Amino acid sequence: GVSAARETLAAPSQALLEVKKSRHLARAAPVDSPEAAMAFVAEVSREPATHHCWAWRIGQVYRFNDDGEPAGTAGKPILAAIDGQGLDHVVVVVTRWYGGIKLGAGGLVRAYGGAAADALRLAPRVPLLSLETVAVRVGFAHAQVLHALLTEFGARKISERFDAEGLCVELDLPAEAIGALEARLLDATRGLSKVFRER
């Protein structure tokens, strides 16, 4: 089935929520890989605070962490805020500075989930293009042409290898752009190129 067009954030955003003297600062950002999400978490977590709770979702893959808060009161509500707004390729870290008054489990869920939802609601969004993985094969003479086209089409190179026949590049690009890339390549290489869909 085709999933509804999802969105990601166009830019990072943040929101501060104060509950009973505890400050909850939510920071949200678009990320394109689990590594990028974890790097964002690590960066924010260097700041001294009581807790840095977080969640991220990238397609079918997601992770969340309560960072010492009672299980289920922080990371999960943050993930629920991401999913509740139909966002993808997003990481949110909610940093808490404890103000001395216990919020209780329900209060924590509302504070963490609420701060995350606020940060996400305020953020500008862009549609997330569905990417497809393809392999492209060209002769040695056209390697440069191929690289120029990849840049033009915003394709992300996954791997490339040379063999007896030339260059084979594996790449991700928006599904909508595959036909155009193929046409341009055939034209530029006078028909001496191939595009294979991998999935």
PDB file of all heavy atoms in Angstrom, residues 82-121:
ATOM      1  N   ILE A  82       5.845  12.860  17.881  1.00  0.00           N
ATOM      2  CA  ILE A  82       6.356  12.829  16.498  1.00  0.00           C
ATOM      3  C   ILE A  82       5.331  12.130  15.596  1.00  0.00           C
ATOM      4  O   ILE A  82       4.929  12.645  14.555  1.00  0.00           O
ATOM      5  CB  ILE A  82       7.713  12.079  16.419  1.00  0.00           C
ATOM      6  CG1 ILE A  82       8.797  12.841  17.197  1.00  0.00           C
ATOM      7  CG2 ILE A  82       8.139  11.879  14.962  1.00  0.00           C
ATOM      8  CD1 ILE A  82      10.120  12.081  17.355  1.00  0.00           C
ATOM      9  N   ASP A  83       4.903  10.946  16.029  1.00  0.00           N
ATOM     10  CA  ASP A  83       3.968  10.157  15.221  1.00  0.00           C
ATOM     11  C   ASP A  83       2.594  10.809  15.131  1.00  0.00           C
ATOM     12  O   ASP A  83       1.933  10.758  14.099  1.00  0.00           O
ATOM     13  CB  ASP A  83       3.833   8.741  15.801  1.00  0.00           C
ATOM     14  CG  ASP A  83       5.113   7.932  15.603  1.00  0.00           C
ATOM     15  OD1 ASP A  83       5.965   8.362  14.792  1.00  0.00           O
ATOM     16  OD2 ASP A  83       5.265   6.894  16.257  1.00  0.00           O
ATOM     17  N   GLY A  84       2.190  11.439  16.221  1.00  0.00           N
ATOM     18  CA  GLY A  84       0.863  12.082  16.264  1.00  0.00           C
ATOM     19  C   GLY A  84       0.751  13.221  15.264  1.00  0.00           C
ATOM     20  O   GLY A  84      -0.338  13.579  14.832  1.00  0.00           O
ATOM     21  N   GLN A  85       1.885  13.805  14.897  1.00  0.00           N
ATOM     22  CA  GLN A  85       1.854  14.906  13.927  1.00  0.00           C
ATOM     23  C   GLN A  85       2.268  14.456  12.529  1.00  0.00           C
ATOM     24  O   GLN A  85       2.533  15.269  11.653  1.00  0.00           O
ATOM     25  CB  GLN A  85       2.742  16.041  14.427  1.00  0.00           C
ATOM     26  CG  GLN A  85       2.216  16.572  15.752  1.00  0.00           C
ATOM     27  CD  GLN A  85       2.715  17.963  16.068  1.00  0.00           C
ATOM     28  OE1 GLN A  85       2.915  18.778  15.183  1.00  0.00           O
ATOM     29  NE2 GLN A  85       2.910  18.236  17.332  1.00  0.00           N
ATOM     30  N   GLY A  86       2.340  13.127  12.342  1.00  0.00           N
ATOM     31  CA  GLY A  86       2.627  12.582  11.023  1.00  0.00           C
ATOM     32  C   GLY A  86       4.005  12.955  10.502  1.00  0.00           C
ATOM     33  O   GLY A  86       4.205  13.116   9.304  1.00  0.00           O
ATOM     34  N   LEU A  87       4.969  13.089  11.417  1.00  0.00           N
ATOM     35  CA  LEU A  87       6.315  13.481  11.006  1.00  0.00           C
ATOM     36  C   LEU A  87       7.238  12.273  10.901  1.00  0.00           C
ATOM     37  O   LEU A  87       7.023  11.255  11.555  1.00  0.00           O
ATOM     38  CB  LEU A  87       6.886  14.504  11.993  1.00  0.00           C
ATOM     39  CG  LEU A  87       6.240  15.890  11.886  1.00  0.00           C
ATOM     40  CD1 LEU A  87       6.528  16.706  13.129  1.00  0.00           C
ATOM     41  CD2 LEU A  87       6.741  16.620  10.650  1.00  0.00           C
ATOM     42  N   ASP A  88       8.262  12.417  10.091  1.00  0.00           N
ATOM     43  CA  ASP A  88       9.220  11.342   9.877  1.00  0.00           C
ATOM     44  C   ASP A  88      10.589  11.989   9.686  1.00  0.00           C
ATOM     45  O   ASP A  88      10.679  13.179   9.383  1.00  0.00           O
ATOM     46  CB  ASP A  88       8.809  10.572   8.616  1.00  0.00           C
ATOM     47  CG  ASP A  88       9.511   9.222   8.504  1.00  0.00           C
ATOM     48  OD1 ASP A  88      10.496   8.997   9.228  1.00  0.00           O
ATOM     49  OD2 ASP A  88       9.074   8.405   7.678  1.00  0.00           O
ATOM     50  N   HIS A  89      11.652  11.197   9.841  1.00  0.00           N
ATOM     51  CA  HIS A  89      13.023  11.730   9.725  1.00  0.00           C
ATOM     52  C   HIS A  89      13.210  12.891  10.691  1.00  0.00           C
ATOM     53  O   HIS A  89      13.704  13.959  10.318  1.00  0.00           O
ATOM     54  CB  HIS A  89      13.323  12.158   8.276  1.00  0.00           C
ATOM     55  CG  HIS A  89      13.562  10.977   7.370  1.00  0.00           C
ATOM     56  ND1 HIS A  89      12.629   9.996   7.194  1.00  0.00           N
ATOM     57  CD2 HIS A  89      14.639  10.625   6.617  1.00  0.00           C
ATOM     58  CE1 HIS A  89      13.107   9.088   6.348  1.00  0.00           C
ATOM     59  NE2 HIS A  89      14.321   9.435   5.996  1.00  0.00           N
ATOM     60  N   VAL A  90      12.770  12.663  11.935  1.00  0.00           N
ATOM     61  CA  VAL A  90      12.810  13.715  12.947  1.00  0.00           C
ATOM     62  C   VAL A  90      13.360  13.159  14.260  1.00  0.00           C
ATOM     63  O   VAL A  90      13.075  12.023  14.625  1.00  0.00           O
ATOM     64  CB  VAL A  90      11.382  14.274  13.196  1.00  0.00           C
ATOM     65  CG1 VAL A  90      11.338  15.159  14.432  1.00  0.00           C
ATOM     66  CG2 VAL A  90      10.903  15.065  11.984  1.00  0.00           C
ATOM     67  N   VAL A  91      14.156  13.988  14.951  1.00  0.00           N
ATOM     68  CA  VAL A  91      14.625  13.657  16.296  1.00  0.00           C
ATOM     69  C   VAL A  91      14.165  14.769  17.233  1.00  0.00           C
ATOM     70  O   VAL A  91      14.131  15.938  16.845  1.00  0.00           O
ATOM     71  CB  VAL A  91      16.173  13.511  16.348  1.00  0.00           C
ATOM     72  CG1 VAL A  91      16.876  14.789  15.878  1.00  0.00           C
ATOM     73  CG2 VAL A  91      16.644  13.141  17.755  1.00  0.00           C
ATOM     74  N   VAL A  92      13.765  14.391  18.452  1.00  0.00           N
ATOM     75  CA  VAL A  92      13.404  15.385  19.468  1.00  0.00           C
ATOM     76  C   VAL A  92      14.095  15.023  20.776  1.00  0.00           C
ATOM     77  O   VAL A  92      14.026  13.880  21.226  1.00  0.00           O
ATOM     78  CB  VAL A  92      11.878  15.441  19.730  1.00  0.00           C
ATOM     79  CG1 VAL A  92      11.563  16.514  20.770  1.00  0.00           C
ATOM     80  CG2 VAL A  92      11.106  15.713  18.442  1.00  0.00           C
ATOM     81  N   VAL A  93      14.785  15.984  21.362  1.00  0.00           N
ATOM     82  CA  VAL A  93      15.368  15.810  22.691  1.00  0.00           C
ATOM     83  C   VAL A  93      14.659  16.798  23.615  1.00  0.00           C
ATOM     84  O   VAL A  93      14.568  17.986  23.307  1.00  0.00           O
ATOM     85  CB  VAL A  93      16.886  16.115  22.704  1.00  0.00           C
ATOM     86  CG1 VAL A  93      17.455  15.879  24.106  1.00  0.00           C
ATOM     87  CG2 VAL A  93      17.625  15.266  21.683  1.00  0.00           C
ATOM     88  N   VAL A  94      14.125  16.289  24.718  1.00  0.00           N
ATOM     89  CA  VAL A  94      13.533  17.184  25.714  1.00  0.00           C
ATOM     90  C   VAL A  94      14.447  17.173  26.937  1.00  0.00           C
ATOM     91  O   VAL A  94      14.644  16.151  27.587  1.00  0.00           O
ATOM     92  CB  VAL A  94      12.105  16.753  26.115  1.00  0.00           C
ATOM     93  CG1 VAL A  94      11.542  17.720  27.162  1.00  0.00           C
ATOM     94  CG2 VAL A  94      11.186  16.718  24.885  1.00  0.00           C
ATOM     95  N   THR A  95      15.023  18.328  27.215  1.00  0.00           N
ATOM     96  CA  THR A  95      15.937  18.486  28.337  1.00  0.00           C
ATOM     97  C   THR A  95      15.150  19.024  29.524  1.00  0.00           C
ATOM     98  O   THR A  95      14.397  19.981  29.382  1.00  0.00           O
ATOM     99  CB  THR A  95      17.055  19.484  27.959  1.00  0.00           C
ATOM    100  OG1 THR A  95      17.744  18.962  26.813  1.00  0.00           O
ATOM    101  CG2 THR A  95      18.031  19.668  29.103  1.00  0.00           C
ATOM    102  N   ARG A  96      15.320  18.391  30.684  1.00  0.00           N
ATOM    103  CA  ARG A  96      14.568  18.814  31.866  1.00  0.00           C
ATOM    104  C   ARG A  96      15.509  19.295  32.973  1.00  0.00           C
ATOM    105  O   ARG A  96      16.505  18.653  33.268  1.00  0.00           O
ATOM    106  CB  ARG A  96      13.739  17.643  32.399  1.00  0.00           C
ATOM    107  CG  ARG A  96      12.920  18.025  33.627  1.00  0.00           C
ATOM    108  CD  ARG A  96      12.162  16.827  34.169  1.00  0.00           C
ATOM    109  NE  ARG A  96      11.193  17.256  35.170  1.00  0.00           N
ATOM    110  CZ  ARG A  96      10.830  16.522  36.216  1.00  0.00           C
ATOM    111  NH1 ARG A  96      11.342  15.323  36.401  1.00  0.00           N
ATOM    112  NH2 ARG A  96       9.949  16.984  37.075  1.00  0.00           N
ATOM    113  N   TRP A  97      15.160  20.425  33.516  1.00  0.00           N
ATOM    114  CA  TRP A  97      15.836  20.915  34.724  1.00  0.00           C
ATOM    115  C   TRP A  97      14.803  20.818  35.841  1.00  0.00           C
ATOM    116  O   TRP A  97      13.769  21.489  35.795  1.00  0.00           O
ATOM    117  CB  TRP A  97      16.298  22.370  34.543  1.00  0.00           C
ATOM    118  CG  TRP A  97      17.402  22.514  33.541  1.00  0.00           C
ATOM    119  CD1 TRP A  97      18.748  22.445  33.778  1.00  0.00           C
ATOM    120  CD2 TRP A  97      17.270  22.759  32.129  1.00  0.00           C
ATOM    121  NE1 TRP A  97      19.454  22.626  32.611  1.00  0.00           N
ATOM    122  CE2 TRP A  97      18.573  22.828  31.583  1.00  0.00           C
ATOM    123  CE3 TRP A  97      16.171  22.930  31.269  1.00  0.00           C
ATOM    124  CZ2 TRP A  97      18.808  23.057  30.228  1.00  0.00           C
ATOM    125  CZ3 TRP A  97      16.404  23.154  29.920  1.00  0.00           C
ATOM    126  CH2 TRP A  97      17.713  23.219  29.409  1.00  0.00           C
ATOM    127  N   TYR A  98      15.070  19.946  36.805  1.00  0.00           N
ATOM    128  CA  TYR A  98      14.105  19.663  37.875  1.00  0.00           C
ATOM    129  C   TYR A  98      13.989  20.860  38.816  1.00  0.00           C
ATOM    130  O   TYR A  98      14.990  21.428  39.244  1.00  0.00           O
ATOM    131  CB  TYR A  98      14.579  18.411  38.630  1.00  0.00           C
ATOM    132  CG  TYR A  98      13.672  17.989  39.763  1.00  0.00           C
ATOM    133  CD1 TYR A  98      12.307  17.788  39.550  1.00  0.00           C
ATOM    134  CD2 TYR A  98      14.184  17.756  41.038  1.00  0.00           C
ATOM    135  CE1 TYR A  98      11.484  17.379  40.579  1.00  0.00           C
ATOM    136  CE2 TYR A  98      13.362  17.338  42.079  1.00  0.00           C
ATOM    137  CZ  TYR A  98      12.011  17.154  41.844  1.00  0.00           C
ATOM    138  OH  TYR A  98      11.198  16.753  42.870  1.00  0.00           O
ATOM    139  N   GLY A  99      12.744  21.225  39.126  1.00  0.00           N
ATOM    140  CA  GLY A  99      12.510  22.416  39.944  1.00  0.00           C
ATOM    141  C   GLY A  99      12.175  22.129  41.397  1.00  0.00           C
ATOM    142  O   GLY A  99      11.817  23.030  42.148  1.00  0.00           O
ATOM    143  N   GLY A 100      12.253  20.830  41.811  1.00  0.00           N
ATOM    144  CA  GLY A 100      12.028  20.523  43.224  1.00  0.00           C
ATOM    145  C   GLY A 100      10.643  20.001  43.561  1.00  0.00           C
ATOM    146  O   GLY A 100      10.396  19.574  44.678  1.00  0.00           O
ATOM    147  N   ILE A 101       9.723  20.061  42.622  1.00  0.00           N
ATOM    148  CA  ILE A 101       8.369  19.546  42.880  1.00  0.00           C
ATOM    149  C   ILE A 101       8.106  18.358  41.962  1.00  0.00           C
ATOM    150  O   ILE A 101       8.178  18.482  40.750  1.00  0.00           O
ATOM    151  CB  ILE A 101       7.295  20.631  42.614  1.00  0.00           C
ATOM    152  CG1 ILE A 101       7.574  21.857  43.482  1.00  0.00           C
ATOM    153  CG2 ILE A 101       5.896  20.087  42.882  1.00  0.00           C
ATOM    154  CD1 ILE A 101       6.793  23.091  43.070  1.00  0.00           C
ATOM    155  N   LYS A 102       7.823  17.193  42.560  1.00  0.00           N
ATOM    156  CA  LYS A 102       7.578  15.993  41.750  1.00  0.00           C
ATOM    157  C   LYS A 102       6.301  16.156  40.929  1.00  0.00           C
ATOM    158  O   LYS A 102       5.305  16.664  41.408  1.00  0.00           O
ATOM    159  CB  LYS A 102       7.458  14.771  42.663  1.00  0.00           C
ATOM    160  CG  LYS A 102       8.804  14.289  43.195  1.00  0.00           C
ATOM    161  CD  LYS A 102       8.732  12.794  43.480  1.00  0.00           C
ATOM    162  CE  LYS A 102       9.964  12.253  44.187  1.00  0.00           C
ATOM    163  NZ  LYS A 102      11.227  12.583  43.553  1.00  0.00           N
ATOM    164  N   LEU A 103       6.355  15.705  39.666  1.00  0.00           N
ATOM    165  CA  LEU A 103       5.189  15.855  38.784  1.00  0.00           C
ATOM    166  C   LEU A 103       4.315  14.608  38.760  1.00  0.00           C
ATOM    167  O   LEU A 103       3.172  14.663  38.329  1.00  0.00           O
ATOM    168  CB  LEU A 103       5.643  16.156  37.348  1.00  0.00           C
ATOM    169  CG  LEU A 103       6.470  17.419  37.118  1.00  0.00           C
ATOM    170  CD1 LEU A 103       6.702  17.625  35.630  1.00  0.00           C
ATOM    171  CD2 LEU A 103       5.784  18.641  37.711  1.00  0.00           C
ATOM    172  N   GLY A 104       4.858  13.464  39.222  1.00  0.00           N
ATOM    173  CA  GLY A 104       4.104  12.212  39.103  1.00  0.00           C
ATOM    174  C   GLY A 104       4.158  11.717  37.666  1.00  0.00           C
ATOM    175  O   GLY A 104       4.470  12.488  36.748  1.00  0.00           O
ATOM    176  N   ALA A 105       3.844  10.428  37.479  1.00  0.00           N
ATOM    177  CA  ALA A 105       3.967   9.816  36.147  1.00  0.00           C
ATOM    178  C   ALA A 105       3.118  10.536  35.097  1.00  0.00           C
ATOM    179  O   ALA A 105       3.600  10.876  34.018  1.00  0.00           O
ATOM    180  CB  ALA A 105       3.584   8.338  36.210  1.00  0.00           C
ATOM    181  N   GLY A 106       1.865  10.795  35.415  1.00  0.00           N
ATOM    182  CA  GLY A 106       0.975  11.473  34.453  1.00  0.00           C
ATOM    183  C   GLY A 106       1.491  12.861  34.107  1.00  0.00           C
ATOM    184  O   GLY A 106       1.442  13.299  32.962  1.00  0.00           O
ATOM    185  N   GLY A 107       2.003  13.564  35.111  1.00  0.00           N
ATOM    186  CA  GLY A 107       2.540  14.907  34.896  1.00  0.00           C
ATOM    187  C   GLY A 107       3.769  14.891  34.003  1.00  0.00           C
ATOM    188  O   GLY A 107       3.951  15.773  33.159  1.00  0.00           O
ATOM    189  N   LEU A 108       4.613  13.864  34.197  1.00  0.00           N
ATOM    190  CA  LEU A 108       5.816  13.743  33.363  1.00  0.00           C
ATOM    191  C   LEU A 108       5.439  13.473  31.903  1.00  0.00           C
ATOM    192  O   LEU A 108       5.980  14.090  30.985  1.00  0.00           O
ATOM    193  CB  LEU A 108       6.723  12.610  33.876  1.00  0.00           C
ATOM    194  CG  LEU A 108       7.465  12.895  35.185  1.00  0.00           C
ATOM    195  CD1 LEU A 108       8.155  11.637  35.685  1.00  0.00           C
ATOM    196  CD2 LEU A 108       8.476  14.020  35.015  1.00  0.00           C
ATOM    197  N   VAL A 109       4.495  12.552  31.703  1.00  0.00           N
ATOM    198  CA  VAL A 109       4.035  12.231  30.345  1.00  0.00           C
ATOM    199  C   VAL A 109       3.537  13.500  29.655  1.00  0.00           C
ATOM    200  O   VAL A 109       3.892  13.789  28.511  1.00  0.00           O
ATOM    201  CB  VAL A 109       2.908  11.166  30.376  1.00  0.00           C
ATOM    202  CG1 VAL A 109       2.235  11.047  29.012  1.00  0.00           C
ATOM    203  CG2 VAL A 109       3.480   9.816  30.803  1.00  0.00           C
ATOM    204  N   ARG A 110       2.721  14.279  30.378  1.00  0.00           N
ATOM    205  CA  ARG A 110       2.171  15.512  29.793  1.00  0.00           C
ATOM    206  C   ARG A 110       3.258  16.545  29.530  1.00  0.00           C
ATOM    207  O   ARG A 110       3.236  17.241  28.520  1.00  0.00           O
ATOM    208  CB  ARG A 110       1.091  16.111  30.705  1.00  0.00           C
ATOM    209  CG  ARG A 110      -0.247  15.393  30.582  1.00  0.00           C
ATOM    210  CD  ARG A 110      -1.369  16.150  31.271  1.00  0.00           C
ATOM    211  NE  ARG A 110      -1.142  16.290  32.709  1.00  0.00           N
ATOM    212  CZ  ARG A 110      -1.437  15.340  33.602  1.00  0.00           C
ATOM    213  NH1 ARG A 110      -1.949  14.186  33.201  1.00  0.00           N
ATOM    214  NH2 ARG A 110      -1.216  15.540  34.891  1.00  0.00           N
ATOM    215  N   ALA A 111       4.234  16.645  30.429  1.00  0.00           N
ATOM    216  CA  ALA A 111       5.302  17.639  30.261  1.00  0.00           C
ATOM    217  C   ALA A 111       6.215  17.274  29.089  1.00  0.00           C
ATOM    218  O   ALA A 111       6.495  18.115  28.232  1.00  0.00           O
ATOM    219  CB  ALA A 111       6.115  17.765  31.549  1.00  0.00           C
ATOM    220  N   TYR A 112       6.681  16.014  29.052  1.00  0.00           N
ATOM    221  CA  TYR A 112       7.580  15.608  27.971  1.00  0.00           C
ATOM    222  C   TYR A 112       6.851  15.587  26.623  1.00  0.00           C
ATOM    223  O   TYR A 112       7.347  16.111  25.620  1.00  0.00           O
ATOM    224  CB  TYR A 112       8.200  14.230  28.257  1.00  0.00           C
ATOM    225  CG  TYR A 112       9.356  14.307  29.220  1.00  0.00           C
ATOM    226  CD1 TYR A 112       9.223  13.894  30.540  1.00  0.00           C
ATOM    227  CD2 TYR A 112      10.590  14.807  28.807  1.00  0.00           C
ATOM    228  CE1 TYR A 112      10.291  13.972  31.441  1.00  0.00           C
ATOM    229  CE2 TYR A 112      11.662  14.895  29.687  1.00  0.00           C
ATOM    230  CZ  TYR A 112      11.506  14.474  31.003  1.00  0.00           C
ATOM    231  OH  TYR A 112      12.558  14.568  31.875  1.00  0.00           O
ATOM    232  N   GLY A 113       5.675  14.965  26.615  1.00  0.00           N
ATOM    233  CA  GLY A 113       4.897  14.898  25.366  1.00  0.00           C
ATOM    234  C   GLY A 113       4.469  16.285  24.913  1.00  0.00           C
ATOM    235  O   GLY A 113       4.515  16.607  23.723  1.00  0.00           O
ATOM    236  N   GLY A 114       4.087  17.116  25.869  1.00  0.00           N
ATOM    237  CA  GLY A 114       3.614  18.473  25.547  1.00  0.00           C
ATOM    238  C   GLY A 114       4.715  19.354  25.003  1.00  0.00           C
ATOM    239  O   GLY A 114       4.523  20.088  24.023  1.00  0.00           O
ATOM    240  N   ALA A 115       5.893  19.304  25.613  1.00  0.00           N
ATOM    241  CA  ALA A 115       7.021  20.113  25.144  1.00  0.00           C
ATOM    242  C   ALA A 115       7.406  19.678  23.728  1.00  0.00           C
ATOM    243  O   ALA A 115       7.634  20.525  22.843  1.00  0.00           O
ATOM    244  CB  ALA A 115       8.215  19.976  26.086  1.00  0.00           C
ATOM    245  N   ALA A 116       7.471  18.359  23.516  1.00  0.00           N
ATOM    246  CA  ALA A 116       7.827  17.841  22.185  1.00  0.00           C
ATOM    247  C   ALA A 116       6.797  18.283  21.147  1.00  0.00           C
ATOM    248  O   ALA A 116       7.150  18.763  20.063  1.00  0.00           O
ATOM    249  CB  ALA A 116       7.915  16.313  22.216  1.00  0.00           C
ATOM    250  N   ALA A 117       5.513  18.146  21.485  1.00  0.00           N
ATOM    251  CA  ALA A 117       4.449  18.522  20.544  1.00  0.00           C
ATOM    252  C   ALA A 117       4.507  20.012  20.216  1.00  0.00           C
ATOM    253  O   ALA A 117       4.316  20.409  19.070  1.00  0.00           O
ATOM    254  CB  ALA A 117       3.082  18.148  21.121  1.00  0.00           C
ATOM    255  N   ASP A 118       4.795  20.838  21.222  1.00  0.00           N
ATOM    256  CA  ASP A 118       4.898  22.292  20.992  1.00  0.00           C
ATOM    257  C   ASP A 118       6.015  22.605  20.001  1.00  0.00           C
ATOM    258  O   ASP A 118       5.838  23.392  19.076  1.00  0.00           O
ATOM    259  CB  ASP A 118       5.180  23.036  22.303  1.00  0.00           C
ATOM    260  CG  ASP A 118       3.939  23.117  23.194  1.00  0.00           C
ATOM    261  OD1 ASP A 118       2.851  22.735  22.724  1.00  0.00           O
ATOM    262  OD2 ASP A 118       4.071  23.558  24.350  1.00  0.00           O
ATOM    263  N   ALA A 119       7.190  22.000  20.211  1.00  0.00           N
ATOM    264  CA  ALA A 119       8.331  22.266  19.335  1.00  0.00           C
ATOM    265  C   ALA A 119       8.003  21.849  17.898  1.00  0.00           C
ATOM    266  O   ALA A 119       8.357  22.538  16.943  1.00  0.00           O
ATOM    267  CB  ALA A 119       9.569  21.531  19.832  1.00  0.00           C
ATOM    268  N   LEU A 120       7.313  20.713  17.759  1.00  0.00           N
ATOM    269  CA  LEU A 120       6.997  20.202  16.420  1.00  0.00           C
ATOM    270  C   LEU A 120       5.902  21.023  15.742  1.00  0.00           C
ATOM    271  O   LEU A 120       5.943  21.245  14.536  1.00  0.00           O
ATOM    272  CB  LEU A 120       6.576  18.731  16.503  1.00  0.00           C
ATOM    273  CG  LEU A 120       7.685  17.784  16.981  1.00  0.00           C
ATOM    274  CD1 LEU A 120       7.122  16.401  17.260  1.00  0.00           C
ATOM    275  CD2 LEU A 120       8.813  17.707  15.960  1.00  0.00           C
ATOM    276  N   ARG A 121       4.946  21.483  16.544  1.00  0.00           N
ATOM    277  CA  ARG A 121       3.837  22.267  15.978  1.00  0.00           C
ATOM    278  C   ARG A 121       4.318  23.588  15.401  1.00  0.00           C
ATOM    279  O   ARG A 121       3.802  24.083  14.410  1.00  0.00           O
ATOM    280  CB  ARG A 121       2.801  22.545  17.070  1.00  0.00           C
ATOM    281  CG  ARG A 121       1.438  21.950  16.756  1.00  0.00           C
ATOM    282  CD  ARG A 121       0.330  22.529  17.588  1.00  0.00           C
ATOM    283  NE  ARG A 121       0.690  22.752  18.972  1.00  0.00           N
ATOM    284  CZ  ARG A 121       0.610  21.822  19.930  1.00  0.00           C
ATOM    285  NH1 ARG A 121       0.190  20.608  19.643  1.00  0.00           N
ATOM    286  NH2 ARG A 121       0.937  22.118  21.163  1.00  0.00           N
TER     287      ARG A 121
END
